[in-house]
Amino acid sequence: QVQLQESGPGLVKPSGTLSLTCAVSGGSIRSSNWWSWVRQSPGKGLEWIGEIYDGGATNYNPSLKSRVTISVDNSKNQFSLKLTSVTAADTAVYYCAKVGTSSWYVDHWGQGILVTVSS
Amino acid sequence: DIQMTQSPSSLSASVGDRVTITCRASQSISSSLNWYQQKRGKAPKVLIYGASILESGGPSRFSGSGSGADFTLTISSLQPEDFATYFCQQSYSFPYTFGQGTKLEIK
């Protein structure tokens, strides 16, 4: 059973960079899957941020594309999210997720990490 | 972006009730529609994918239907553990988008 665990700072200053890592256990990140980031805030609900394939291909939400980078570290079996120039609007619970193999849906979620943007 | 609109936004029902939640897409999305359940303080959990396919291990009282732009999630007989928030999500085109959620509360 694949498990995912987010880690990173819970507080980021405005104009700074949000950096999160998702550790994957119970399976290899190199398993022909898409790995995704989704965030949830009271104001904007659930928002898909982007995804990465185990070969490195990425897709990003156009609304965030200029500020987002998703990368993978196969040696550590983890993938990461970087979001630059953050504002209070980026305050949210951030989830890492594994996408299903037969269809695009999230079949495994991390527990989520609250990131607050504040000085 | 494809807009996903759920109705109702909230719903009160009793154990044993049959409940239907609707999700409408702003354009046709074929059958690329997923339903998730989220309980307080937890990550969402997929119930239905591909509009009507029950996720492995999911309770059979949950069913999904629809194609094109109009979809429904039905719970045939509400159980106490079903009181939660439900979201639809389209996976037809980028960016993947979610509905605003339907909060199902105990009457």
Side-chain angles (χ1 to χ4, degrees):
Chain A
Q1 176 77 331
V2 171
Q3 292 186 309
L4 301 96
Q5 178 69 58
E6 305 90 349
S7 62
L11 180 64
V12 181
K13 292 188 186 314
S15 77
T17 296
L18 180 158
S19 296
L20 297 175
T21 296
C22 181
V24 178
S25 59
S28 173
I29 201 165
R30 299 207 68 180
S31 53
S32 302
N33 286 302
W34 287 94
W35 304 90
S36 187
W37 288 95
V38 177
R39 68 182 182 180
Q40 186 172 31
S41 62
K44 296 189 75 174
L46 285 161
E47 183 177 27
W48 175 75
I49 298 170
E51 60 186 2
I52 188 165
Y53 194 67
D54 67 5
T58 54
N59 295 305
Y60 297 130
N61 191 321
S63 68
L64 299 168
K65 187 172 184 176
S66 64
R67 300 193 290 131
V68 170
T69 303
I70 297 175
S71 59
V72 64
D73 187 334
N74 294 316
S75 66
K76 294 183 178 178
N77 217 41
Q78 64 187 31
F79 62 106
S80 300
L81 169 71
K82 286 191 189 306
L83 182 66
T84 61
S85 304
V86 297
T87 70
D90 295 308
T91 293
V93 175
Y94 285 76
Y95 294 100
C96 63
K98 173 187 165 294
V99 177
T101 51
S102 60
S103 178
W104 203 105
Y105 65 96
V106 174
D107 64 0
H108 291 82
W109 297 77
Q111 66 183 27
I113 183 168
L114 173 62
V115 179
T116 301
V117 178
S118 174
S119 55
Chain B
D1 298 4
I2 297 175
Q3 306 303 315
M4 306 300 295
T5 304
Q6 289 181 234
S7 60
S9 296
S10 63
L11 174 61
S12 293
S14 301
V15 173
D17 283 354
R18 179 182 181 88
V19 166
T20 297
I21 298 169
T22 296
C23 179
R24 173 164 288 177
S26 59
Q27 67 181 72
S28 176
I29 58 171
S30 185
S31 295
S32 301
L33 191 283
N34 309 311
W35 289 99
Y36 300 89
Q37 176 194 67
Q38 186 177 34
K39 296 185 178 178
R40 193 180 199 87
K42 301 291 188 181
K45 173 184 173 184
V46 67
L47 294 170
I48 302 284
Y49 65 93
S52 62
I53 304 170
L54 184 68
E55 172 71 338
S56 176
S60 59
R61 61 182 179 274
F62 291 95
S63 64
S65 64
S67 65
D70 293 306
F71 301 87
T72 58
L73 173 70
T74 300
I75 310 173
S76 60
S77 178
L78 269 177
Q79 299 302 298
E81 61 268 29
D82 299 338
F83 293 95
T85 301
Y86 294 83
F87 295 93
C88 61
Q89 177 242 329
Q90 66 83 16
S91 55
Y92 182 78
S93 68
F94 298 127
Y96 300 138
T97 47
F98 292 82
Q100 83 280 12
T102 296
K103 187 172 184 179
L104 181 52
E105 298 174 309
I106 301 173
K107 183 182 288 185

